[in-house]
C-alpha cells in the first residue's frame, strides 16, 4: 500500500460508513442523559483561598487516591489535543462525522469541569500543583500525528473503555461517596463513547475486515494511556497499577477482551494473509499479557498497598 492510498481509503470509508455513523449518533443522543457539574459539587465545603490558603493537611484524599484524581483530571484537561486528532480523523467526512466530533468534545469538556470543581472546593489537591500540571501538560500537548481512520477508531474504542474503568475504580478507591458519584457519572459518559467507536469500527470490520483487523492489532500492541505527558507519569501510573485502579489485569480482561470478543475477531473469516498474521500476534500478545499480569499480581500481593475493591 502506498502512502497515497491511505487518505483514499479513509475518504472512501468515511463516506461508506456515514449512514451508520448517523444511526449511532442518533442512538447516542437518545440514551445520553443531560447532567450538570454543579449538581455534583459539595459547595457548602468551599472557603476562600485568600483568607485560608491551601495547606497539605487539608485533603481528605491522600496517597494513590489523590494521584489517581490528579491523573484523571489532567488527562481530561488535554481535550484540545484530542479534539485536534479526532477532527483530523473524521474531518474528512461530513454530516454525522462532524456532528459526532462536536458532541463528543462538548461532553468531554464537562469531565474536566466537574473534576476541577470537586478537587478545588474540597481542597483534596494542591490547586497550585494542579494548575502547574495542567500548564505543563497542555503546552506539551498530545504530540501524535493524526492517525488514519481505522487506527484512530481502534485506539479510541479501547481508550474510552480504559478511561471508563480507571475513573470508576478511582471513585471506588476514594471511599468518598461524593467522589464516587462523580466518577460513576463520568464513567457512564465514557461508556457511551466507547460504544459509539466500538460499533462504528464493528461496521468497518464488515466492509474492510483485513485492514480493520491489522489496525486493531497495531493499536493493541502499542497501546498507551493518553496521560503520558503528565509530570512524573511513569511513577504515578505505577502507583495506580499497584492500587488495582488500572493494571495489566484490568487492561487485558476488562478493556481488551470484551471489545475483541464483541467484534468476534477470533472467528472472523475471509482475512488476507497479513491480517491472519496480525490475529496470530494478537493471540500471542494476550497470552503474554496474562503471564505478565499474573507476575504483577504475585508481586503486589506481597506489598502493603491497599487495592481497589471491585465487583
Ligand atoms: Fe472524559
Ligand atoms: Fe470519553
Amino acid at each position: 500500500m502506498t502512502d497515497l492510498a491511505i487518505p483514499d481509503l479513509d475518504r472512501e470509508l468515511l463516506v461508506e460508513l456515514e449512514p451508520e455513523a448517523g444511526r449511532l449518533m442518533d442512538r447516542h443522543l437518545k440514551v445520553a442523559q443531560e447532567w450538570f457539574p454543579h449538581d455534583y459539587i459539595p459547595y457548602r465545603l468551599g472557603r476562600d483561598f485568600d483568607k485560608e490558603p491551601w495547606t497539605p493537611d487539608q485533603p481528605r484524599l491522600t496517597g494513590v487516591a489523590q494521584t489517581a484524581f490528579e491523573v484523571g483530571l489532567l488527562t481530561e484537561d488535554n481535550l484540545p489535543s484530542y479534539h485536534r486528532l479526532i477532527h483530523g480523523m473524521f474531518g474528512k467526512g461530513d454530516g454525522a462525522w462532524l456532528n459526532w466530533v462536536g458532541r463528543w468534545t462538548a461532553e468531554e469538556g464537562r469531565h474536566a469541569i466537574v473534576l476541577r470543581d470537586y478537587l478545588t472546593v474540597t481542597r483534596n489537591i494542591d490547586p497550585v500543583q494542579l494548575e502547574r500540571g495542567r500548564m505543563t501538560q497542555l503546552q506539551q500537548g498530545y504530540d501524535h500525528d493524526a492517525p488514519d481512520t481505522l487506527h484512530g477508531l481502534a485506539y479510541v474504542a479501547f481508550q474510552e473503555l480504559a478511561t471508563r474503568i480507571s475513573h470508576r475504580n478511582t471513585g471506588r478507591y476514594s471511599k468518598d461517596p461524593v467522589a464516587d458519584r462523580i466518577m460513576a457519572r463520568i464513567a457512564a459518559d465514557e461508556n457511551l463513547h466507547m460504544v459509539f467507536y466500538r460499533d462504528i469500527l464493528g461496521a468497518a470490520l464488515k466492509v474492510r475486515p483485513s485492514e480493520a483487523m491489522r489496525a486493531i492489532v497495531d493499536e493493541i500492541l502499542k497501546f498507551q494511556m493518553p496521560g503520558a505527558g503528565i509530570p512524573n507519569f511513569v511513577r504515578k501510573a505505577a502507583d495506580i497499577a499497584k492500587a488495582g485502579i488500572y493494571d495489566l489485569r484490568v487492561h487485558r480482561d476488562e478493556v481488551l477482551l470484551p471489545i475483541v470478543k464483541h467484534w468476534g475477531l477470533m472467528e472472523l473469516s475471509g482475512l488476507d494473509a497479513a491480517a491472519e498474521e496480525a490475529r496470530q500476534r494478537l493471540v500471542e500478545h494476550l497470552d503474554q499479557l496474562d503471564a505478565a499480569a499474573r507476575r504483577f499480581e504475585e508481586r503486589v500481593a506481597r506489598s502493603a498497598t491497599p487495592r481497589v475493591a471491585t465487583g
Side-chain angles (χ1 to χ4, degrees):
M1 185 188 283
T2 66
D3 284 341
L4 286 175
I6 293 171
D8 282 348
L9 175 65
D10 272 9
R11 215 169 301 118
E12 266 174 43
L13 248 185
L14 289 167
V15 170
E16 203 165 351
L17 296 178
E18 215 253 1
E20 182 64 1
R23 194 186 70 77
L24 294 174
M25 172 83 183
D26 289 345
R27 185 182 72 177
H28 177 84
L29 294 176
K30 279 201 194 88
V31 294
Q33 287 166 344
E34 188 181 30
W35 62 276
F36 300 93
H38 72 268
D39 286 334
Y40 289 76
I41 310 299
Y43 286 106
R44 68 185 179 284
L45 302 178
R47 280 112 65 202
D48 290 340
F49 284 92
D50 57 349
K51 296 194 189 85
E52 195 185 331
W54 186 87
T55 53
D57 58 305
Q58 290 168 354
R60 215 192 53 75
L61 295 183
T62 54
V64 189
Q66 203 181 51
T67 302
F69 269 93
E70 184 195 7
V71 168
L73 173 51
L74 289 178
T75 300
E76 296 285 355
D77 272 334
N78 223 0
L79 182 58
S81 281
Y82 313 142
H83 173 83
R84 174 174 58 78
L85 289 178
I86 302 260
H87 189 274
M89 251 158 68
F90 296 160
K92 294 183 273 310
D94 58 7
W97 292 110
L98 279 181
N99 292 341
W100 172 260
V101 175
R103 173 74 191 199
W104 174 86
T105 305
E107 289 186 10
E108 287 292 351
R110 205 145 58 190
H111 299 166
I113 293 170
V114 73
L115 282 172
R116 176 161 283 98
D117 287 357
Y118 164 76
L119 291 171
T120 306
V121 167
T122 60
R123 298 181 177 238
N124 265 326
I125 223 162
D126 176 356
V128 172
Q129 177 199 323
L130 197 58
E131 178 59 7
R132 287 184 180 151
R134 192 189 67 82
M135 286 296 289
T136 306
Q137 144 111 339
L138 266 82
Q139 286 180 84
Q140 194 175 315
Y142 184 65
D143 190 18
H144 293 258
D145 292 334
D148 65 69
T149 304
L150 289 171
H151 283 84
L153 284 174
Y155 178 74
V156 290
F158 293 117
Q159 190 276 327
E160 292 282 1
L161 185 52
T163 312
R164 173 202 180 188
I165 297 197
S166 65
H167 281 330
R168 191 72 195 85
N169 284 346
T170 297
R172 283 184 180 144
Y173 194 82
S174 72
K175 299 213 163 62
D176 172 353
V178 173
D180 193 42
R181 184 166 169 254
I182 290 171
M183 289 319 220
R185 181 56 264 179
I186 299 177
D189 283 6
E190 309 296 20
N191 193 50
L192 291 185
H193 298 162
M194 178 275 288
V195 164
F196 177 91
Y197 293 128
R198 182 197 66 191
D199 290 354
I200 195 73
L201 188 43
L205 271 161
K206 292 205 175 81
V207 293
R208 308 269 178 184
S210 294
E211 286 96 337
M213 172 71 83
R214 292 205 306 266
I216 290 164
V217 176
D218 283 348
E219 291 302 316
I220 289 178
L221 293 179
K222 64 173 193 199
F223 186 86
Q224 244 200 343
M225 287 295 256
I230 294 171
N232 298 319
F233 180 72
V234 173
R235 185 187 56 74
K236 286 172 181 168
D239 289 345
I240 287 168
K242 257 192 256 159
I245 293 170
Y246 200 90
D247 61 12
L248 285 176
R249 177 61 62 204
V250 169
H251 182 62
R252 179 187 181 276
D253 293 1
E254 295 179 49
V255 175
L256 299 182
L257 282 187
I259 300 185
V260 163
K261 281 194 186 137
H262 189 92
W263 284 330
L265 291 190
M266 297 308 169
E267 296 81 41
L268 216 61
S269 55
L271 297 177
D272 62 22
E276 286 289 2
E277 208 177 291
R279 173 156 61 186
Q280 194 45 43
R281 277 212 307 280
L282 173 60
V283 171
E284 288 157 16
H285 180 69
L286 291 172
D287 286 347
Q288 285 161 1
L289 272 182
D290 191 36
R294 231 181 274 273
R295 286 195 299 274
F296 182 78
E297 281 159 348
E298 284 164 16
R299 223 172 343 117
V300 289
R302 294 192 295 268
S303 90
T305 311
R307 303 265 294 166
V308 70
T310 50

